């Protein structure tokens, strides 16, 4: 059932022992949104904790500060920044699939799965929604909470570079600065700092790019054994998605990651003229206009061929090819 913001506030005030679910392969928005809400609820005297199927990337989790895991039996379950229940990950999905009381999200492609849902697609990030919720709860935006919300907003807007940024996004960012958010530290760590191995990995990625449609589309294949072959970790891959889209003339950036279970995970990034979500919805995926993802069965070459066909169809629909 779709609910309004006032019902969200009522639900959070009325319930205790709250588990907040972040999505698998956690990004800055699901991390920042979940922990900001957790800190706010704890400041109200409630028990709350964040649960995620996967480990948090070290280059993101630092922004939420020190925290402890509270132990309690969940009485109320909230999801943050999850557009599809499958994004919970298998372990969390098996435990909470039919137990999610409320979903808070900003994805236009949100698929209903919770008992009650508040989805605001005009928000640049779920963290922007969480800011409004915390203010309406009457909770002071502390430095910790401000850092969490800033993490979510800055990462989902590319440090305020994407077209999803609105006047309100900048207003919230200003309020976070006023509340003590360490924007300089967060920006430097996330957007301006790379390990030596990360630079090496990015060099390999750059040299493997393939171009299509008069160099408008750039595609990168990442084999399942890539990390092992190059002595890298997942943390070293955190910026890979953005590499092709930084090239002049590229309007569609595609990363195809081969998984060991015979499928490929696909990330699509597009400029304003092309809808990434429409490309990924063809395969049951989704996301935003500028950024979306999906899963395709088969090996890397098969996935690439199928994607090229779909992208060509979309480009023809808008008279680009």
């Amino acid at each position: 059932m779709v609910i309004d913001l006032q019902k969200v506030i009522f639900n959070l005030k009325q319930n205790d022992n709250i588990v907040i679910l972040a999505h698998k392969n956690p990004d800055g928005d699901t991390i920042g949104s979940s922990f900001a809400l957790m800190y706010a609820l704890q400041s109200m005297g409630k028990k709350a904790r964040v649960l995620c199927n996967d480990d948090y990337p070290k280059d993101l989790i630092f922004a939420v500060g020190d925290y402890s895991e509270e132990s309690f039996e969940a009485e109320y379950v909230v999801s943050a920044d999850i557009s599809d229940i499958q994004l919970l990950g298998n372990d969390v999905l098996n435990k909470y699939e039919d137990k999610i009381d409320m979903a808070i999200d900003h994805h236009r492609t949100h698929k209903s799965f919770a008992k009650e849902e508040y989805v605001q697609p005009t928000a640049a990030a779920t963290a922007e929604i969480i800011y409004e919720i915390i203010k309406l709860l009457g909770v002071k935006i502390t430095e910790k909470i401000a850092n969490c919300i800033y993490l979510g907003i800055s990462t989902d807007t590319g440090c305020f570079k994407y077209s999803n940024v609105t006047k309100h996004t900048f207003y919230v960012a200003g309020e976070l600065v006023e509340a003590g958010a360490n924007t300089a530290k967060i920006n430097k760590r996330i957007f301006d700092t790379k390990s030596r191995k990360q630079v090496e990995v990015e060099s390999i990625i750059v040299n493997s790019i393939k171009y299509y449609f008069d160099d408008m589309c750039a595609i990168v294949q990442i084999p399942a054994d890539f990390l092992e072959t190059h002595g890298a970790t997942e943390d070293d891959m955190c910026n890979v998605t953005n590499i092709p889209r930084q090239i002049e003339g590229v309007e569609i950036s595609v990363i195809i990651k081969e998984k060991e279970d015979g499928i490929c995970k696909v990330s699509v990034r597009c400029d304003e003229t092309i809808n990434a979500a429409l490309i990924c919805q063809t395969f049951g995926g989704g996301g935003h206009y500028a950024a979306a993802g999906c899963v395709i069965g088969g090996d890397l070459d098969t996935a690439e061929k199928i994607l090229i066909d779909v992208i060509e169809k979309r480009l023809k629909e808008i008279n680009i090819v």
Side-chain angles (χ1 to χ4, degrees):
M1 180 175 68
V2 176
I3 59 175
D4 60 19
L5 197 52
Q6 293 304 319
K7 186 62 163 62
V8 173
I9 303 306
F10 176 83
N11 290 343
L12 294 174
K13 285 184 175 180
Q14 289 296 115
N15 290 283
D16 200 353
N17 294 343
I18 300 172
V19 168
I20 305 161
L21 304 179
H23 62 67
K24 66 180 180 179
N25 302 314
D27 61 7
D29 195 17
T30 198
I31 293 171
S33 298
S34 298
F35 278 91
L37 183 57
M38 181 191 79
Y39 287 141
L41 293 171
Q42 289 176 346
S43 74
M44 296 169 66
K46 297 177 181 292
K47 291 184 178 180
R49 68 169 179 266
V50 177
L51 180 63
C52 184
N53 193 83
D54 301 326
D55 293 334
Y56 303 114
K58 64 181 181 181
D59 288 335
L60 295 176
I61 193 63
F62 81 94
V64 310
D66 295 330
Y67 65 93
S68 58
E69 294 280 355
E70 289 192 298
S71 178
F72 57 84
E73 189 68 29
E75 295 178 3
Y76 195 75
V77 181
V78 179
S79 68
D81 194 47
I82 298 176
S83 62
D84 187 319
I85 197 167
Q86 297 303 319
L87 294 176
L88 285 174
N90 291 336
D91 292 342
V92 176
L93 182 63
N94 290 338
K95 185 173 182 179
Y96 290 102
E97 182 173 9
D98 58 349
K99 299 177 182 177
I100 301 174
D101 297 290
M102 183 168 65
I104 303 171
D105 189 28
H106 76 127
H107 293 88
R108 293 184 185 277
T109 56
H110 183 90
K111 299 177 182 178
S112 297
F113 58 83
K115 297 171 186 174
E116 295 184 314
E117 300 182 307
Y118 181 74
V119 182
Q120 183 51 263
T122 59
T126 297
E128 192 173 316
I129 301 171
I130 295 297
Y131 168 83
E132 300 297 337
I133 290 171
I134 292 174
K135 294 285 283 187
L136 289 173
L137 284 171
V139 173
K140 179 182 177 181
I141 303 290
T142 62
E143 179 180 336
K144 258 189 173 183
I145 292 175
N147 282 336
C148 291
I149 297 173
Y150 185 79
L151 170 68
I153 293 176
S154 64
T155 52
D156 247 30
T157 61
C159 204
F160 304 91
K161 292 185 294 186
Y162 301 158
S163 60
N164 59 341
V165 175
T166 66
K167 175 182 177 180
H168 186 258
T169 309
F170 283 118
Y171 169 79
V172 173
E175 292 291 293
L176 297 176
V177 171
E178 186 71 20
N182 197 336
T183 57
K185 179 181 178 181
I186 293 172
N187 288 343
K188 186 178 189 312
R189 177 75 176 269
I190 295 175
F191 301 105
D192 294 332
T193 304
K194 298 178 182 179
S195 68
R196 183 171 178 175
K197 177 57 69 173
Q198 188 175 345
V199 173
E200 293 174 2
V201 165
E202 291 181 7
S203 176
I204 295 167
I205 296 296
V206 168
N207 290 323
S208 72
I209 296 175
K210 289 187 280 186
Y211 299 90
Y212 296 89
F213 310 116
D214 294 326
D215 299 342
M216 181 188 301
C217 175
I219 294 183
V220 172
Q221 292 186 2
I222 300 179
D225 62 354
F226 185 91
L227 296 180
E228 181 180 356
T229 299
H230 299 288
T233 66
E234 287 292 346
D235 287 331
D236 298 320
M237 304 288 285
C238 64
N239 193 49
V240 166
T241 305
N242 293 320
I243 293 175
R245 69 190 308 271
Q246 294 170 342
I247 301 169
E248 184 178 6
V250 171
E251 297 186 29
I252 307 171
S253 167
V254 181
I255 304 294
I256 309 174
K257 292 184 179 180
E258 183 183 35
K259 311 302 284 186
E260 294 179 351
D261 48 4
I263 62 171
C264 290
K265 180 182 177 183
V266 179
S267 296
V268 180
R269 300 291 184 270
C270 294
D271 284 352
E272 295 182 16
T273 54
I274 301 153
N275 192 331
L278 282 180
I279 294 172
C280 292
Q281 281 175 4
T282 306
F283 308 101
H288 303 291
Y289 195 100
C294 61
V295 172
I296 299 176
D299 59 21
L300 288 167
D301 290 335
T302 299
E304 181 171 326
K305 184 180 184 305
I306 294 172
L307 270 168
I308 289 298
D309 290 341
V310 171
I311 291 171
E312 182 176 23
K313 178 182 177 182
R314 296 299 180 193
L315 293 178
K316 285 180 177 178
E317 289 174 351
I318 56 177
N319 299 316
I320 291 184
V321 298

